[in-house]
């Protein structure tokens, strides 16, 4: 249950950049993630949904593509990952396929841009992801959301898994 998950928000590098700390089972982490970040999750979906449509996706195609990935997650050794995603959807109130689409956003966008082989919808200023690795501090960080409009949605998330890994 949620009682096992200890979570907190505190100021990050900027006053508007919360630090989210999640501990507990996959279910606990997903439920608290969905509850604590509900507004940010919806705002992310609204942004990416527009972008998906801009590059030519329709909802039924997205749903079909991501649910086929979902089936693989449930069959393979990734059940904890699948449980966490399912709980994020449940707690946030956003449909599961939309949470899956957010997790596959780059692949969905690149697949459609590559398939259309057009620069018409391409934004030259998209940039790339940013990665930080500091082995002595056990820090690995990555940001895939390079659109300026998403900056207000950033969070720092620290996760401690049941096995002690962070």
């Amino acid at each position: 249950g949620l009682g096992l998950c200890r979570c907190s928000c505190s100021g990050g590098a900027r006053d508007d950049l919360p630090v989210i700390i999640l501990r507990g089972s996959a279910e606990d982490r997903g439920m608290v993630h969905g509850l604590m970040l509900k507004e940010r999750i919806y705002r992310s979906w609204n942004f990416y949904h527009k972008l998906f449509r801009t590059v030519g996706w329709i909802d039924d195609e997205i749903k079909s593509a991501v649910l086929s990935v979902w089936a693989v997650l449930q069959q393979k050794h990734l059940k904890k990952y699948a449980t966490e995603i399912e709980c994020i959807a449940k707690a946030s109130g956003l449909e599961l396929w939309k949470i899956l689409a957010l997790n596959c956003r780059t692949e969905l966008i690149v697949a459609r841009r590559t398939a259309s082989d057009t620069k018409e919808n391409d934004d030259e200023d998209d940039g790339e992801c940013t990665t930080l690795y500091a082995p002595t501090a056990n820090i690995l960080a990555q940001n895939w959301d390079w659109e300026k409009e998403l900056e207000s949605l950033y969070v720092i998330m620290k996760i401690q898994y049941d096995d002690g890994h962070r």
Side-chain angles (χ1 to χ4, degrees):
L2 292 179
L4 298 175
C5 186
R6 297 191 178 134
C7 306
S8 63
C9 287
S10 62
R14 302 181 330 214
D15 287 339
D16 63 338
L17 187 60
V19 176
I20 309 296
I21 301 171
L22 300 175
R23 292 186 181 102
S25 69
E27 183 178 43
D28 291 339
R29 292 188 312 269
M31 292 300 289
V32 175
H33 181 156
L35 288 170
M36 290 180 76
L37 299 176
K38 182 176 184 169
E39 180 187 342
R40 281 177 158 86
I41 292 168
Y42 273 84
R43 288 175 56 200
S44 294
W45 169 252
N46 289 334
F47 175 86
Y48 280 106
H49 189 231
K50 288 179 200 168
L51 188 54
F52 295 151
R53 291 175 159 264
T54 299
V55 297
W57 284 100
I58 60 173
D59 287 356
D60 287 342
E61 291 174 323
I62 297 169
K63 191 173 185 176
S64 175
V66 299
L67 288 177
S68 66
V69 171
W70 178 248
V72 172
L73 283 178
Q74 290 180 315
Q75 293 170 8
K76 300 291 180 180
H77 57 81
L78 301 170
K79 290 185 189 253
K80 287 182 182 179
Y81 180 67
T83 297
E84 192 166 346
I85 289 175
E86 188 173 49
C87 290
I88 291 169
K90 184 177 180 180
S92 70
L94 195 64
E95 293 175 76
L96 175 64
W97 72 269
K98 293 176 181 179
I99 296 293
L100 293 168
L102 286 173
N103 278 273
C104 299
R105 61 196 176 275
T106 302
E107 292 80 4
L108 289 169
I109 294 163
V110 170
R112 194 48 57 109
R113 283 181 175 170
T114 302
S116 67
D117 197 30
T118 179
K119 291 285 187 183
E120 178 180 320
N121 295 323
D122 202 6
D123 183 350
E124 297 279 332
D125 297 327
D126 271 353
E128 292 293 332
C129 67
T130 301
T131 304
L132 167 73
Y133 177 54
T136 57
N138 291 324
I139 295 174
L140 175 63
Q142 191 166 26
N143 169 35
W144 287 95
D145 298 310
W146 48 81
E147 298 288 344
K148 193 154 191 70
E149 187 178 329
L150 296 170
E151 284 184 14
S152 66
L153 304 180
Y154 294 171
V155 298
I156 296 171
M157 190 169 291
K158 296 179 179 183
I159 303 170
Q160 184 172 346
Y161 297 95
D162 288 340
D163 64 5
H165 283 90
R166 297 174 192 226

